[in-house]
Amino acid sequence: MRRFGLIGRVLGHSFSAKYFTDKFEREGLSQECRYDLFEMPEISCVEEFITTTEGLVGFNVTIPYKQQIIPYLTSMSDEARNIGAVNCVKLYVDGRCVGYNTDVDGIRISLDKLLGCAEVGSALVLGTGGASQAVQYVLAERGIPFSIVSRDSAKGNLTYADLSAEVIGDNHLIINTSPVGMYPHHDQAPDIPYEALGANHYLFDLVYNPERTLFVEKGAARGAHTLSGLDMLYAQAEAAWKIWNE
């Protein structure tokens, strides 16, 4: 049996196992492929996971290990190295453990869907983790200037206290890369002045569970264009599947 999975600290929110289980059933692979969730209290557990999981071909990586996984890898793709974060790992038959970043595939597709032909002058990126690194990479690709918003002033260009109505008005693309609003905390949303949003704003939430987060709902109520993280989830999963089967 070929084994795949997702590692992270808490995985109750994840749709990945269902996505791949359904995929395996559709494609007649249920008897030869299996995808599981592997919660790990700390990243050091990945060493035993890799060496003891029989049939392991590859796995995905989520919060908070997309950056912490790097020292445990043999190498990384150029893109993952440039981003500084890994969400997909492939185990090669020669013993190599190679990291990739397929989040960028999902982010590119999602921004195409959200923005269409619209042009935005600048963006706010909420959060500083591995997903934020991938978002920053794609925004730089597109030539969209951005500011990073963090609760810690040492990690971002702005703190949430800096997000005045004027700042929101100057940045028409706002991307939430933080876990705020993720199940089971669906009653929470990033602390931004939603009253400053309007029809010329575009909100992208990387959170996909729930599909319509409070961040998305608050933006839509002000007339903003919104998109959840489901399209990103599906696109990055398919990109990972391609890597595992190359």
Side-chain angles (χ1 to χ4, degrees), residues 88-154:
C88 174
V89 175
K90 180 176 179 177
L91 307 182
Y92 287 80
V93 293
D94 60 6
R96 288 180 299 135
C97 184
V98 181
Y100 299 85
N101 193 302
T102 64
D103 278 342
V104 291
D105 298 87
I107 294 164
R108 289 171 182 140
I109 288 171
S110 296
L111 287 180
D112 285 343
K113 181 175 181 177
L114 176 62
L115 297 176
C117 297
E119 295 185 5
V120 291
S122 57
L124 296 175
V125 180
L126 312 182
T128 60
S132 175
Q133 296 290 107
V135 166
Q136 294 170 44
Y137 183 86
V138 175
L139 291 176
E141 274 186 337
R142 293 175 176 237
I144 300 175
F146 58 87
S147 297
I148 303 166
V149 183
S150 173
R151 291 173 296 180
D152 184 347
S153 59

Side-chain angles (χ1 to χ4, degrees), residues 47-121:
E47 291 184 300
E48 182 178 1
F49 165 68
I50 290 171
T51 57
T52 62
T53 305
E54 186 175 352
L56 187 64
V57 174
F59 56 94
N60 294 120
V61 185
T62 192
I63 298 170
Y65 299 139
K66 292 183 181 183
Q67 294 160 315
Q68 295 180 37
I69 187 70
I70 292 174
Y72 297 89
L73 304 175
T74 307
S75 62
M76 293 187 287
S77 68
D78 290 342
E79 197 161 60
R81 185 179 299 105
N82 290 333
I83 293 166
V86 164
N87 77 313
C88 174
V89 175
K90 180 176 179 177
L91 307 182
Y92 287 80
V93 293
D94 60 6
R96 288 180 299 135
C97 184
V98 181
Y100 299 85
N101 193 302
T102 64
D103 278 342
V104 291
D105 298 87
I107 294 164
R108 289 171 182 140
I109 288 171
S110 296
L111 287 180
D112 285 343
K113 181 175 181 177
L114 176 62
L115 297 176
C117 297
E119 295 185 5
V120 291

Side-chain angles (χ1 to χ4, degrees), residues 14 16 41 57 69 98 100 147 166 168 180 193 214 216 224 246:
S14 178
S16 295
V57 174
I69 187 70
V98 181
Y100 299 85
S147 297
E166 182 179 4
I168 296 296
V180 176
L214 190 55
V216 165
E246 284 178 342

Side-chain angles (χ1 to χ4, degrees), residues 207-230:
V207 172
Y208 58 82
N209 183 8
E211 182 176 351
R212 289 188 64 80
T213 59
L214 190 55
F215 174 71
V216 165
E217 293 284 2
K218 282 175 170 282
R222 302 296 301 182
H225 307 268
T226 63
L227 186 69
S228 80
L230 269 182

